[in-house]
Amino acid sequence: MTLLTTWPESGPQTVVRRTDDPAEIAAALAPIGVRYERWPVREDVPRDADSDAVFAAYRAEIDKLVEEESFATVDVVALHPTDDPGWAEKARAAREKFLSEHTHDDDDEVRFFVAGAGVFYLHVGGEVHAVLCEAGDLLGVPRGTTHWFDMGVSPSFTAIRFFHEEDGWIGNFTGSDIALRFPDFDALRAGRTAA
């Protein structure tokens, strides 16, 4: 279930907003410049589908968004549990990279979730907005927006990424420990919203 939870930046003791209604989520995020929309989920695309299969399934939506936004690069990123003994370390390292608050100077962060889930935390205007995205969710975080991302202790997702710049993902880390003060992906999925 897609979920938006908003707290004051001082901490998660008070919930300002909590909704799972897509129209309410889009309306709440629009004033801070964040794009949220739902795309149809292609049930025939397995969660471990390769990039070619994902591109083929979502070609119409990808082409439309690329034309609207003039994206230079589109790719597919996936991280799902495997029997590989190195998987847990790979997942931990991937999660750590995005858990620290950061911004992007040169590009928006636009993601469409094909499968699985992840949480974008947006630190804007004295509030923290946690957007728990699942299959079918497209989120566009404007360049310069302070945020972080959590995929949980056992990540499982496939996402299409859109970039205006060919360099891809370049984060400018703020050095803040704010991400440690808010419920993580696993707590939000479990319904625990206080620290």
Side-chain angles (χ1 to χ4, degrees), residues 15-113:
V15 175
V16 174
R17 177 186 304 107
R18 185 173 172 92
T19 181
D20 60 1
D21 179 86
E24 288 179 18
I25 293 170
L29 296 177
I32 60 172
V34 175
R35 177 183 195 151
Y36 171 79
E37 58 189 61
R38 294 278 306 160
W39 287 3
V41 175
R42 307 287 191 260
E43 300 294 343
D44 57 333
V45 178
R47 80 177 183 127
D48 60 348
D50 65 18
S51 295
D52 290 341
V54 171
F55 283 134
Y58 290 96
R59 177 55 55 204
E61 290 87 351
I62 292 169
D63 289 348
K64 181 176 184 284
L65 189 57
V66 166
E67 183 176 326
E68 287 174 4
E69 300 288 333
S70 301
F71 288 110
T73 305
V74 180
D75 69 12
V76 174
V77 63
L79 188 59
H80 296 283
T82 69
D83 293 334
D84 180 346
W87 182 84
E89 178 55 29
K90 178 181 174 183
R92 185 196 61 72
R95 182 181 189 213
E96 275 185 20
K97 178 179 180 179
F98 304 112
L99 268 179
S100 296
E101 184 181 66
H102 61 277
T103 63
H104 304 286
D105 290 341
D106 298 325
D107 214 341
D108 300 339
E109 188 159 346
V110 180
R111 305 290 182 264
F112 170 70
F113 284 81

Side-chain angles (χ1 to χ4, degrees), residues 103-149:
T103 63
H104 304 286
D105 290 341
D106 298 325
D107 214 341
D108 300 339
E109 188 159 346
V110 180
R111 305 290 182 264
F112 170 70
F113 284 81
V114 174
V119 180
F120 279 91
Y121 296 82
L122 314 167
H123 183 191
V124 180
E127 295 181 319
V128 172
H129 310 271
V131 187
L132 173 60
C133 297
E134 296 192 329
D137 290 330
L138 177 116
L139 193 74
V141 179
R143 71 189 74 206
T145 302
T146 309
H147 66 284
W148 67 93
F149 177 74

